[in-house]
Amino acid sequence: MATAAPQPDGAADSRCLRTFSGHTNEKNFVGLSVNSTGEFLACGSETNAVYVYSSRLSKPLIVHNFGNPVDSIN
């Protein structure tokens, strides 16, 4: 996951400011949420965990594991 630099007109350009590490999203997008100030980001992981990041740091502040990931649902 990466964040982009804001432009004066409010649009984002394509420069990568930060890459967030720790979560696994190789096959599927699991989800992303950003708080109203843009200071915190939360995303799901294919490892059945949620990662919470500060927009200022590349490593997670909090990781919550929900247990074993589900390989398939029959």
Side-chain angles (χ1 to χ4, degrees), residues 39-53:
E39 184 178 357
F40 297 102
L41 303 92
C43 70
S45 176
E46 292 174 352
T47 60
N48 208 24
V50 173
Y51 289 73
V52 177
Y53 298 89

Side-chain angles (χ1 to χ4, degrees), residues 33-66:
S33 183
V34 181
N35 77 322
S36 62
T37 65
E39 184 178 357
F40 297 102
L41 303 92
C43 70
S45 176
E46 292 174 352
T47 60
N48 208 24
V50 173
Y51 289 73
V52 177
Y53 298 89
S54 166
S55 60
R56 298 177 188 160
L57 303 172
S58 295
K59 295 189 179 194
L61 296 173
I62 300 168
V63 178
H64 178 78
N65 293 298
F66 289 97

Side-chain angles (χ1 to χ4, degrees), residues 1-6 12-20 55-56 58:
M1 178 173 46
T3 57
D13 71 15
S14 61
R15 292 181 298 147
C16 179
L17 294 179
R18 181 164 286 100
T19 299
F20 299 93
S55 60
R56 298 177 188 160
S58 295

